């Protein structure tokens, strides 16, 4: 019987397999940031261990860096200590780092692909659950905890249980105005936040094949919100063209491509589970609740918990509506927004900024809200400025910021106030995720921009 | 890591599903560079509500957290495990755990036990009826017992052995460094390297 793509990559990375023990898997690329690494480096020091492969390791500063006045020292002393600790650790252990102010600084999952380090067939890890993003290139990429960060630093391997495989077939064609963000939000609403638990998801089908590389990253990015540690897409010409010319693209590109072309699921391979989704039926999607599975078409209304059969889900929905300050039956498009956040590892790439700028061009955002535009990396920011997108955002009344995770998780000063409501292109609508008491609606960049103009949740078709 | 063989403690019934790691410890509490001191951030937002279970005096000293399905979803922050441990929890019971959280808990010696949703609900009822109820977790026998109940649970044998011996994963892996060397010797040359830096 043939193998799935995930199984092929797994098998190529088994350092050691023994009955009754997890497989020892080799890690090709280890990405590091300031929040989940200090205790790992400390562990190395305590055990007098080195970083085994600094040449397969790269660090950047993203989670708690400020997005304004980046030329000044970081104002929050605790954040500053964490960033300084990363810099000192990288210097001590010989790890490459891109610090605030450097053109390659930015969200770790934007930096890897833009440098051409993210390539098909690799195993990629990072102490961040959105490492699944890199799966868009046909890599097996997943988030790890700090103990595992230390393990990879010391050994360049991880002991791992072999995951099960799930295919999600997104058949048909997307309608105009519907994006890859809507695909993944619809998938999560369909299979639930635990639906992918224990699986690697492979996204397949016409609608996936037709996505750009950056749009594919948005899909794979939110695999974790469906409970899957990793999500991937078989590489194709779109993938190869994206990598070509990037700083760390293979020198013998043709040889690499001929290997990459072997990275697909065999016709006779079997997945443990298959799920089908019809792209033609998708519309712009938005979340109404406090987990990413609580989503609905933007044209719909806030669901009535009383109509939910499962008691556990009903209770969760009731609590979510109280927290979100919403009423059952209320049309989603009537919901007024205070802050629009465009950015994050989900939707902070150049194509996302271009798509939003296209809608905002020559118009003013509603006076009832603020809009933060936070490029995913300093490189994305420079590219946007070269294209004049910064002026479009600024002229429309939005704030043009520096690169980082920013309001996606509110570790830096970019936070919602209690009961403040956002339309956010990020990935998590958990209680308090964007600031204590803040209320988050997850949306695509197109919906974010249209919402900024109208003041209430809107799609470009409403303009 | 401390060895885990048996634990006897009282329970805390957390009647919520989808307890994500942002609830277990919000991002603003992740700025420490040590592994200790995270108990302040544990369930920080919910603890500001006087009705929250951990604010009830009878549950304050519980060491066995019994939660709804999909515990530990979201962010990979191992700080969530540290916060639970720093606060005093030794065991978390749920009907489904997020993968990364469960992996992290097993690295740090916080025992995560999968029971069925109905077993979780029975446990909630029993703890609420008697907050002083002694709950015995026996990893050697793979059982959770309270009153006249004894529930068997499944756990991977290798994970169980590591927890019971308190073994450090890195040390175990380094015993196989020959296989890592051998693997590296045959790794393909076109795989990317971060160094030297190319622009």
């Amino acid at each position: 019987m043939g193998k799935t793509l995930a199984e092929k990559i797994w098998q190529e990375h088994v350092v050691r397999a023994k009955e009754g023990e997890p497989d020892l898997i080799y890690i090709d690329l280890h990405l590091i940031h300031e929040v989940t690494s200090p205790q790992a480096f400390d562990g190395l020091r305590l055990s007098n261990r080195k970083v085994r492969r600094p040449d397969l390791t790269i660090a950047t500063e993203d989670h708690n860096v400020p997005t304004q006045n980046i030329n000044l020292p970081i104002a929050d002393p605790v954040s500053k200590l964490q960033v300084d600790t990363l810099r000192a650790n990288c210097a001590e252990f010989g790890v490459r780092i891109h610090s605030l102010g450097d053109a390659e600084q930015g969200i770790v999952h934007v930096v890897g692909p833009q440098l051409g380090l993210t390539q098909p067939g690799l195993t990629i890890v990072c102490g961040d659950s959105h490492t699944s993003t890199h799966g868009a290139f046909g890599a097996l990429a997943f988030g790890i905890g700090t103990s595992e960060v230390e393990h990879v630093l010391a050994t360049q391997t991880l002991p791992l249980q072999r995951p099960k495989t799930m295919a999600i077939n997104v058949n048909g064609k997307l309608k105009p105005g519907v994006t890859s963000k809507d695909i993944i939000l619809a998938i999560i609403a369909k299979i639930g936040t635990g639906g992918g638990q224990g699986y690697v998801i492979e996204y397949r089908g016409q609608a996936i094949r037709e996505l750009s590389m950056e749009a594919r990253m948005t899909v794979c990015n939110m695999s974790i919100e469906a409970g899957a540690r990793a999500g991937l897409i078989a590489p194709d010409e779109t993938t190869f063209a994206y990598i070509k010319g990037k700083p760390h693209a293979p020198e013998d590109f043709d040889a690499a491509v001929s290997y990459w072309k072997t990275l697909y699921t065999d016709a006779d391979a079997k997945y443990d589970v298959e799920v089908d989704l019809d792209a033609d039926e998708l519309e712009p999607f938005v979340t109404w609740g406090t987990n990413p599975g609580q989503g609905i078409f933007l044209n719909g209304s806030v669901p009535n918990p009383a109509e939910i059969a499962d008691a556990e889900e009903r209770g969760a929905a009731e609590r979510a509506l109280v927290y979100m300050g919403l009423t059952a039956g209320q049309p989603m498009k009537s919901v007024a927004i205070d802050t629009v956040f465009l950015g994050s590892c989900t939707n902070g790439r150049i194509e996302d900024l271009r798509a939003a700028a296209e809608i905002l061009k020559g118009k003013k955002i509603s006076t009832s809200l603020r809009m933060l535009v936070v490029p995913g990396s300093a490189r994305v920011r420079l590219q946007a400025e070269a294209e004049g997108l910064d002026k479009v955002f600024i002229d429309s009344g939005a704030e043009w910021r520096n690169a980082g995770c920013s309001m996606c998780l509110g570790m830096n000063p970019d936070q919602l106030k209690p009961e403040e409501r956002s339309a956010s292109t990020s990935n998590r609508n958990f209680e308090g995720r964007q600031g204590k008491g803040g209320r988050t609606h997850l949306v695509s960049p197109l919906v974010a921009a249209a919402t900024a103009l109208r003041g209430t949740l809107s799609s470009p078709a409403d303009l | 890591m401390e060895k885990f063989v048996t634990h006897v403690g009282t329970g805390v019934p957390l009647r919520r599903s989808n307890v994500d790691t942002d609830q277990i410890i919000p991002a603003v509490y992740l700025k420490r560079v040590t592994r200790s001191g995270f108990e302040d951030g544990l369930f920080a937002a919910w603890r500001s509500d006087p009705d929250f279970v951990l604010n009830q005096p009878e549950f304050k000293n519980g060491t066995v957290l019994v939660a709804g399905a999909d515990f530990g979803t979201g962010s990979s922050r191992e700080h969530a495990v540290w916060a639970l441990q720093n606060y005093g929890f030794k065991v978390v019971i749920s009907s489904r755990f997020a993968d990364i959280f469960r992996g992290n808990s097993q690295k740090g010696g916080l025992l995560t036990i999968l029971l069925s949703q109905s077993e979780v609900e029975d446990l909630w009822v029993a703890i609420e009826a008697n907050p002083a109820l002694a709950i015995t977790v026996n990893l050697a026998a793979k059982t959770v017992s309270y009153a006249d109940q004894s529930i068997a649970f499944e756990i991977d044998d290798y994970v169980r052995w590591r927890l019971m011996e308190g073994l450090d994963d890195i040390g175990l892996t380094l015993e196989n460094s020959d296989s890592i060397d051998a693997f590296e010797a045959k790794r393909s040359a076109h795989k990317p390297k971060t160094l030297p830096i190319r622009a």
Side-chain angles (χ1 to χ4, degrees):
Chain A
M1 195 177 69
K3 290 193 181 66
T4 65
L5 172 56
E7 287 162 349
K8 285 185 183 176
I9 301 174
W10 185 278
Q11 194 170 46
E12 284 182 17
H13 289 83
V14 175
V15 170
R16 180 175 174 272
K18 194 174 167 220
E19 185 63 33
E21 290 186 19
D23 288 349
L24 191 64
I25 296 295
Y26 198 81
I27 302 302
D28 290 316
L29 180 64
H30 187 192
L31 309 162
I32 285 177
H33 63 85
E34 74 275 18
V35 178
T36 57
S37 67
Q39 297 85 355
F41 282 111
D42 246 3
L44 292 185
R45 263 189 296 270
L46 284 171
S47 317
N48 200 22
R49 287 173 179 144
K50 288 185 172 40
V51 173
R52 183 181 173 97
R53 296 296 301 264
D55 61 335
L56 303 182
T57 312
I58 185 169
T60 186
E61 300 162 4
D62 57 5
H63 276 64
N64 68 38
V65 295
T67 57
Q68 288 176 303
N69 303 318
I70 61 165
N71 51 326
L72 300 177
I74 298 174
D76 175 355
V78 201
S79 291
K80 182 174 185 303
L81 173 65
Q82 203 167 50
V83 170
D84 288 345
T85 303
L86 178 68
R87 292 177 187 177
N89 283 330
C90 287
E92 180 181 343
F93 289 92
V95 172
R96 171 177 176 181
I97 181 170
H98 293 290
S99 290
L100 208 54
D102 178 322
E104 304 303 341
Q105 175 269 337
I107 307 175
V108 67
H109 310 309
V110 179
V111 170
Q114 83 186 11
L115 285 172
L117 288 167
T118 299
Q119 294 178 14
L122 302 184
T123 47
I124 302 176
V125 297
C126 173
D128 186 277
S129 60
H130 290 109
T131 309
S132 57
T133 311
H134 306 263
F137 291 79
L140 188 61
F142 48 88
I144 57 178
T146 299
S147 295
E148 290 173 307
V149 170
E150 183 181 341
H151 196 284
V152 177
L153 288 173
T155 71
Q156 205 57 37
T157 64
L158 276 179
L160 293 167
Q161 295 291 350
R162 187 179 289 238
K164 293 175 285 181
T165 58
M166 174 187 288
I168 297 188
N169 306 304
V170 188
N171 304 310
K173 225 175 157 57
L174 288 177
K175 286 185 285 214
V178 185
T179 68
S180 64
K181 182 64 164 284
D182 304 307
I183 294 180
I184 189 63
L185 286 173
I187 288 171
I188 300 162
K190 184 178 171 115
I191 71 173
T193 56
Q197 197 251 319
Y199 294 94
V200 171
I201 297 176
E202 183 179 342
Y203 301 96
R204 299 160 61 86
Q206 184 193 351
I208 298 293
R209 295 258 70 89
E210 289 177 359
L211 293 176
S212 71
M213 210 50 232
E214 297 192 353
R216 292 179 188 183
M217 284 190 244
T218 303
V219 173
C220 290
N221 172 272
M222 289 189 71
S223 301
I224 184 69
E225 273 63 55
R229 213 169 169 177
L232 43 65
I233 295 172
D236 58 12
E237 295 301 331
T238 303
T239 322
F240 311 149
Y242 190 90
I243 297 170
K244 194 163 191 173
K246 295 274 191 293
H248 286 272
E251 275 165 353
D252 189 347
F253 197 76
D254 294 341
V257 168
S258 56
Y259 161 63
W260 294 344
K261 284 186 171 170
T262 67
L263 298 169
Y264 55 85
T265 292
D266 296 326
D268 57 342
K270 251 188 98 63
Y271 297 93
D272 295 299
V273 180
E274 291 211 40
V275 175
D276 290 299
L277 193 75
D278 202 341
D280 305 87
E281 288 173 8
L282 290 181
E283 292 172 29
F285 218 84
V286 59
T287 59
W288 53 267
T290 54
N291 76 55
Q294 292 174 324
I296 196 165
F297 286 146
L298 181 57
N299 275 323
S301 302
V302 177
N304 184 354
E307 290 166 8
I308 300 175
D310 181 80
E312 186 65 42
E313 262 184 60
R314 185 168 60 243
E318 283 165 354
R319 270 198 307 276
L321 292 195
V322 171
Y323 181 86
M324 293 296 289
L326 296 173
T327 332
Q330 182 179 358
M332 289 310 300
K333 285 189 173 172
S334 72
V335 175
I337 296 297
D338 306 303
T339 295
V340 172
F341 173 62
L342 175 62
S344 85
C345 59
T346 313
N347 282 125
R349 297 183 176 79
I350 191 69
E351 286 181 10
D352 301 310
L353 302 193
R354 284 180 192 144
E358 178 78 22
I359 291 168
L360 295 175
K361 196 165 189 172
K363 302 195 177 87
K364 295 281 180 202
I365 63 170
S366 166
T367 52
S368 62
L369 53 72
R370 63 169 170 160
M371 179 175 188
L372 265 62
V373 183
V374 183
S377 69
R379 177 71 61 202
V380 170
R381 182 179 150 103
L382 290 171
Q383 174 69 28
E385 288 176 349
E387 296 178 19
L389 304 184
D390 57 325
K391 291 197 179 56
V392 173
F393 291 121
I394 292 165
D395 290 348
S396 74
E399 297 176 39
W400 179 242
R401 298 292 190 90
N402 287 281
C405 298
S406 178
M407 194 182 267
C408 173
L409 84 166
M411 249 190 118
N412 76 350
D414 307 339
Q415 297 181 18
L416 295 180
K417 294 186 189 70
E419 301 195 0
E420 204 181 328
R421 189 183 296 281
S422 77
S424 177
T425 65
S426 56
N427 42 56
R428 288 184 177 138
N429 53 341
F430 297 151
E431 289 181 24
R433 169 80 176 179
Q434 298 189 292
K436 193 175 176 184
R439 297 162 169 172
T440 303
H441 297 278
L442 300 177
V443 297
S444 72
L446 297 181
V447 170
T451 300
L453 293 177
R454 283 169 55 94
T456 48
L457 287 172
S458 304
S459 79
D462 300 319
L463 298 170
Chain B
M1 181 164 88
E2 250 178 79
K3 293 182 183 185
F4 192 116
V5 182
T6 57
H7 173 74
V8 185
T10 56
V12 175
L14 182 61
R15 285 183 175 267
R16 298 206 190 203
S17 59
N18 269 293
V19 178
D20 59 75
T21 53
D22 275 82
Q23 302 318 313
I24 299 172
I25 184 164
V28 290
Y29 291 91
L30 305 184
K31 297 179 186 181
R32 281 193 189 84
V33 294
T34 59
R35 279 182 191 250
S36 57
F38 291 101
E39 64 274 16
D40 293 355
L42 182 70
F43 299 123
W46 293 347
R47 269 160 80 189
S48 61
D49 169 7
D51 292 334
F52 182 61
V53 65
L54 285 184
N55 291 329
Q56 309 307 308
E58 64 270 35
F59 295 123
K60 239 181 177 117
N61 298 315
T63 54
V64 180
L65 184 65
V66 186
D70 293 313
F71 188 86
T73 54
S75 156
S76 63
R77 58 189 71 164
E78 197 161 329
H79 312 66
V81 171
W82 302 332
L84 287 161
Q85 289 182 312
N86 293 165
Y87 185 89
F89 285 108
K90 304 288 185 199
V91 179
V92 183
I93 296 174
S94 168
S95 62
R96 191 161 56 204
F97 290 97
D99 285 340
I100 302 179
F101 175 82
R102 190 143 205 238
N104 288 342
S105 71
Q106 292 163 347
K107 304 291 174 193
L110 175 73
L111 183 61
T112 42
I113 298 177
L114 266 177
L115 295 184
S116 71
Q117 187 59 30
S118 68
E119 288 163 342
V120 166
E121 279 168 28
D122 290 347
L123 203 43
W124 280 338
V125 170
I127 297 167
E128 283 161 355
N130 174 18
L133 178 75
I135 301 170
T136 303
V137 174
N138 186 330
L139 184 57
K142 297 193 278 188
T143 55
V144 176
S145 332
Y146 61 95
D148 58 353
Q149 299 285 317
S150 179
I151 311 161
F153 64 87
E154 288 300 314
I155 185 165
D156 178 78
D157 285 337
Y158 182 79
V159 170
R160 174 166 159 266
W161 167 73
R162 266 191 47 246
L163 289 170
M164 289 180 61
E165 299 293 327
L167 292 174
D168 162 28
D169 255 349
I170 298 178
L172 288 173
T173 297
L174 287 176
E175 287 174 15
N176 296 301
S177 47
D178 287 357
S179 5
I180 305 176
D181 295 341
F183 185 92
E184 282 181 336
K186 59 178 179 57
R187 254 181 109 237
S188 156
H190 64 67
K191 298 229 176 186
K193 288 186 176 160
T194 58
L195 295 170
I197 296 176
R198 282 154 55 178

